[in-house]
């Protein structure tokens, strides 16, 4: 049965005994609502795939430094340290998530299932940084091997997520009319990231059919992610204009739309750069034209979405926006916007894009520092009490 009241707006009801709840923050408790899975058969508290958003955000801070059209002293060294931290966090979270064996529990839950895209993007983000930042640490060949391994695993996981989660949403999960939110983009964005990061591997692929297959495969994944993301963005925008404005921990998820748009611009630029090594003319030249004209057009829409998301966030901060895990939704989208703007700056030579990229990167670093520090404090505050630790792990938005 689909909920009809405003109070049930963000509640998804399924036939599974564990139904998704509305986004909660510290102190929000509703004993009348069914709870998310908090422990496995051994009684250990579970953590969800949403935790991988911390890897996504940390990795994009490092990767965006490489694409920045202006360099600053010590920037690449700092970026290498941040990338190493993202890689270590990825290993810890991956081992922990696989060990707890909670995949089925989370797949059955409408809220947790949306975040299955986060592990895939985390793998792709860390992998993309390996050839650019990992060479001084592990060597050129090892860095390339790491990128190939993480890209292959992240792409396979991302494609599986992009196919499986929408199927579950259609066949098993049921949502209120105004349940759409930015998190619905998470399952369909990974193919966009695979297309962008895969373009970096095209020069390292043997020339001929293998290189051509990789390029065309990346374009196919780009189209998959682009169309799916636009469909979800339309649903999210419809929810924004037809229902009450989002509030509380739901507000940061509006920024995920900016991440999808920024990734489109970045992907167009990366694929156009790689196209001449695999495609004949006039197609390679056409890819460059599309990357410029379509890239600037999508970038303009991204700026509109940035303004909307920022206005909603400022509005909620004035009302008292509480900290929640959704604050990581600020980071990767802003980073994708930096890389997209940097790609346009490199292609056009426009000083406007250069300085917009620099300003956005400064905001990205500041936001990452704030969110990372608040996350550590939030986690430490919940680590002492078993019941609070279980609540922290169970709720993907807490």
């Amino acid at each position: 049965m689909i909920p009809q009241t405003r109070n049930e707006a963000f509640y998804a009801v399924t036939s599974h005994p564990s139904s998704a709840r509305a986004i909660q923050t510290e102190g929000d408790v509703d004993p009348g609502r069914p709870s998310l899975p908090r422990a496995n058969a051994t009684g250990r508290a579970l953590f969800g795939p949403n935790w991988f958003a911390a890897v996504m955000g940390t990795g994009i801070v490092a990767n965006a430094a490489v694409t920045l059209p202006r360099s600053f002293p010590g920037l690449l060294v700092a970026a290498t340290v941040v990338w190493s931290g993202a890689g270590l966090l990825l290993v810890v979270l991956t081992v922990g998530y696989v060990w707890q064996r909670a995949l089925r529990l989370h797949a059955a839950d409408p809220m947790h299932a949306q975040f299955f895209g986060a592990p895939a993007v985390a793998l792709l983000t860390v992998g993309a940084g390996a050839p650019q930042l990992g060479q001084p640490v592990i060597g050129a060949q090892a860095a390339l091997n790491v990128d190939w391994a993480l890209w292959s695993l992240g792409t396979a996981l991302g494609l599986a997520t992009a196919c499986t989660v929408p199927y579950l949403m259609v066949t098993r999960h049921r949502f209120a009319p105004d349940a759409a939110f930015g998190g619905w983009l998470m399952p369909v964005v990974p193919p966009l990231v695979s297309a962008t990061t895969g373009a970096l591997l095209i020069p390292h692929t043997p020339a001929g059919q293998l290189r051509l297959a990789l390029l065309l495969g990346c374009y196919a994944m780009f189209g998959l992610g682009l169309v799916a993301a636009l469909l979800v963005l339309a649903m999210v925008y419809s929810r924004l204009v037809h229902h009450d404005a989002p509030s509380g921990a739901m507000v940061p998820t509006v920024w995920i739309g900016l991440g999808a748009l920024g990734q489109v611009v970045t992907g167009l630029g990366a694929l156009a750069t790689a196209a001449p090594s695999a495609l004949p003319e006039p197609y390679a030249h056409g890819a460059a034209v599309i990357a410029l004209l379509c890239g600037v057009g999508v970038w303009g829409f991204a700026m509109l979405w940035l303004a909307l998301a920022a206005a909603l966030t400022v509005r909620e901060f004035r009302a008292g926006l509480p900290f929640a895990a959704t604050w990581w939704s600020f980071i990767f989208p802003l980073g994708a916007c930096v890389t997209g703007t940097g790609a346009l700056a490199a292609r056009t030579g426009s000083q406007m894009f250069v300085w917009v990229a620099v300003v956005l990167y400064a905001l990205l670093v500041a936001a990452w520092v704030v969110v990372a520090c608040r996350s550590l404090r939030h986690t430490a505050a919940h680590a002492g009490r078993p019941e609070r630790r279980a609540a922290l792990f169970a709720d993907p938005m807490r």
Side-chain angles (χ1 to χ4, degrees):
M1 180 177 178
I2 298 178
Q4 298 298 323
T5 65
R6 180 180 179 277
N7 189 42
E8 295 173 334
F10 300 117
Y11 289 80
V13 181
T14 73
S15 57
H16 191 275
S18 172
S19 300
R21 311 184 317 173
I23 292 179
Q24 290 190 339
T25 56
E26 290 181 282
D28 294 335
V29 178
D30 186 351
R33 296 292 180 188
S35 62
L36 294 167
R38 294 193 172 194
N40 57 14
T42 64
R44 289 190 294 266
L46 301 176
F47 70 89
N50 59 300
W51 279 54
F52 286 86
V55 180
M56 294 168 51
T58 303
I60 199 69
V61 169
N63 294 350
V66 178
T67 65
L68 204 63
R70 285 286 183 274
S71 183
F72 300 93
L75 179 61
L76 290 182
V77 175
T80 302
V81 173
V82 173
W83 173 80
S84 301
L88 179 61
L89 183 58
L90 175 64
V91 172
V92 172
L93 291 180
T94 300
V95 171
Y97 191 78
V98 171
W99 177 67
Q100 69 183 9
R101 292 183 287 185
L103 183 63
R104 284 192 171 185
L105 282 174
H106 291 151
D109 192 285
M111 189 65 76
H112 270 119
Q114 303 302 322
F115 292 91
F116 277 138
V121 177
L123 289 165
L124 296 166
T125 304
V126 174
Q132 304 173 95
L133 297 167
Q135 291 190 27
V137 181
I138 59 178
Q141 188 58 47
L144 184 60
N145 293 338
V146 168
D147 191 10
W148 272 113
L150 294 183
W151 182 83
S152 301
L153 184 58
T155 297
L157 182 58
L159 289 173
T161 299
C163 296
T164 303
V165 174
Y167 174 79
L168 292 175
M169 293 174 71
V170 171
T171 60
R172 292 203 58 186
H173 303 159
R174 292 295 177 267
F175 299 93
D178 54 352
F181 74 113
W184 284 16
L185 286 161
M186 290 297 297
V188 298
V189 162
L192 273 176
V193 184
S194 288
T196 303
T197 54
L200 303 177
L201 291 170
I202 290 174
H204 303 285
T205 305
Q209 288 298 313
L210 284 178
R211 183 177 295 180
L212 178 62
L214 179 57
L215 177 64
L216 296 179
C218 287
Y219 266 112
M221 289 188 291
F222 180 86
L224 186 163
L226 171 63
V227 175
L230 291 178
L231 289 173
V232 177
L233 280 172
M235 288 189 285
V236 173
Y237 186 74
S238 176
R239 180 257 177 270
L240 290 175
V241 299
H242 288 112
H243 302 279
D244 291 342
S247 60
M250 177 68 76
V251 172
T253 66
V254 178
W255 288 74
I256 300 177
L258 177 66
L261 296 170
Q263 200 61 230
V264 169
V265 180
T266 306
L268 285 172
L271 290 168
T273 300
S277 66
L279 286 179
E281 294 296 347
Y283 305 110
H285 180 69
V289 173
I290 292 173
L292 176 58
L293 300 183
C294 293
V296 173
V298 175
W299 184 86
F301 182 42
M303 292 301 101
L304 169 63
W305 199 274
L306 173 61
L308 175 62
L312 289 172
T313 303
V314 170
R315 174 179 180 270
E316 194 61 25
F317 262 117
R318 294 176 63 185
L321 177 64
F323 178 80
T326 52
W327 278 34
W328 280 105
S329 301
F330 295 131
I331 309 303
F332 187 88
L334 193 55
C337 195
V338 172
T339 58
T341 306
L344 291 177
R347 190 160 294 278
T348 63
S350 169
Q351 290 299 305
M352 177 190 72
F353 286 128
V354 168
W355 290 110
V356 170
V358 171
V359 170
L360 289 176
Y361 187 72
L363 294 175
L364 170 66
V365 173
W368 175 74
V369 170
V370 170
V371 174
C373 291
R374 291 294 299 269
S375 296
L376 291 173
R377 288 171 52 193
H378 188 62
T379 304
H382 283 76
R385 302 179 187 177
E387 67 278 5
R388 297 190 73 186
R389 183 169 64 251
L392 172 66
F393 286 163
D395 196 332
M397 298 297 186
R398 187 158 184 170

